[in-house]
Amino acid sequence: MLGHLQISTPGPLEKPMPQFITLTQIRTRIFGTPVLTKKLHNLKNYPYTTWYISRSFVRKNKVYYSISNGGKVKGVVWHGYVTPAVVKSLNSFNSNSDYLSYLNTDKSQKLSRALLKLIPNANVSLNLSKQASMNKITNYQNIINLGTLSGTVTEGAITHKTIVHDFLMGFSATNAAKAKTAGKMLAAKGYTSDKLASLMSQGYQVGIYVNDGAATSVGKSGYPSTISFKSSVQNNMAFVIAKPKEN
């Protein structure tokens, strides 16, 4: 199983699409249709790119994925040319610095990095991130849930109302574009970069957890059937700021 999608059967995903990353400098091509007749893009031009799978199918005993980078680049690729992104459990980190290092470097955390750029001098708290991911913030005050702020966004020819969380969990834009739109939504509610920087200087901390459809574990064989999406967290995208309660 890959999410709710059988590997050998094409069809739409019923849950957020799992996230995939290209291998470095692959010398093969993404094909345009399930019959694999038209070459559209060369993966070597997209190193370290996040891909989202919309379906899988089998052709000549080989598994292929229909993928997109969230933007205009779409096509079909053999499953062996991409590798699943795996998000680490928040309980695997022992300190704020450990968690921040992960956010700043791990391939599954591109959206996290883009969002943190919206907050100058962001003071990331592992403890607040854990609590926010479980929707149970207890020892903080003046909580501002940035993920639940509402706004209006335009996707293609459609303009609609949404909240930051739901927009970020969509797949119609790249991570950079998502963060840019989220920044506009925050600013429209008064949370400009200057305002957020001011809150950081007042002792506010940032709680952030972004799953973005990544797997939680992958078997050693790497075959899609060994990918797991099981997680104990309650919120697949937590983005809050708050002040620790005074003792």
Side-chain angles (χ1 to χ4, degrees):
M1 294 287 289
L2 183 58
H4 272 194
L5 179 65
Q6 291 285 345
I7 292 303
S8 60
T9 306
L13 289 167
E14 299 173 16
K15 285 190 174 183
M17 290 183 283
Q19 180 188 90
F20 283 80
I21 306 168
T22 61
L23 299 176
T24 310
Q25 298 298 312
I26 296 300
R27 295 184 178 279
T28 188
R29 295 178 183 274
I30 304 174
F31 294 87
T33 66
V35 294
L36 311 181
T37 59
K38 183 179 179 181
K39 296 178 180 179
L40 296 178
H41 305 282
N42 198 317
L43 282 181
K44 72 177 183 180
N45 297 323
Y46 301 92
Y48 307 112
T49 298
T50 298
W51 301 100
Y52 299 98
I53 178 174
S54 57
R55 69 169 183 164
S56 67
F57 64 93
V58 174
R59 178 175 169 79
K60 295 183 179 179
N61 297 319
K62 294 183 179 180
V63 178
Y64 291 87
Y65 296 143
S66 293
I67 62 174
S68 167
N69 70 342
K72 297 181 179 180
V73 181
K74 301 177 182 180
V76 174
V77 66
W78 177 56
H79 81 274
Y81 289 144
V82 289
T83 184
V86 180
V87 63
K88 291 185 178 180
S89 167
L90 287 170
N91 293 325
S92 68
F93 302 101
N94 297 316
S95 66
N96 291 339
S97 59
D98 284 347
Y99 185 49
L100 184 60
S101 176
Y102 164 73
L103 293 176
N104 286 334
T105 60
D106 196 86
K107 295 175 182 177
S108 72
Q109 296 302 301
K110 293 179 180 180
L111 182 54
S112 294
R113 290 194 284 277
L115 292 175
L116 288 175
K117 289 180 180 179
L118 300 176
I119 307 177
N121 304 314
N123 181 16
V124 176
S125 165
L126 173 60
N127 185 45
L128 180 56
S129 299
K130 287 181 178 179
Q131 293 186 25
S133 73
M134 298 302 295
N135 288 327
K136 190 176 182 180
I137 302 176
T138 56
N139 54 342
Y140 288 83
Q141 59 188 352
N142 303 334
I143 301 166
I144 302 171
N145 192 335
L146 301 177
T148 60
L149 296 180
S150 61
T152 301
V153 300
T154 299
E155 299 180 89
I158 301 175
T159 298
H160 61 96
K161 292 184 178 180
T162 185
I163 63 174
V164 172
H165 173 284
D166 292 350
F167 171 72
L168 292 174
M169 289 296 96
F171 302 94
S172 60
T174 62
N175 291 323
K178 286 180 182 179
K180 183 177 180 179
T181 298
K184 292 180 179 179
M185 294 173 70
L186 299 184
K189 294 296 184 178
Y191 295 105
T192 63
S193 60
D194 288 342
K195 175 63 175 180
L196 293 170
S198 174
L199 292 174
M200 291 299 104
S201 68
Q202 297 172 40
Y204 278 75
Q205 297 178 354
V206 179
I208 186 168
Y209 172 80
V210 178
N211 177 290
D212 198 24
T216 53
S217 65
V218 179
K220 291 182 179 180
S221 67
Y223 191 72
S225 62
T226 67
I227 298 174
S228 173
F229 299 93
K230 293 181 180 179
S231 175
S232 62
V233 301
Q234 302 298 312
N235 192 350
N236 61 357
M237 203 293 295
F239 191 33
V240 305
I241 58 175
K243 291 186 70 173
K245 289 183 178 179
E246 298 180 358
N247 296 327

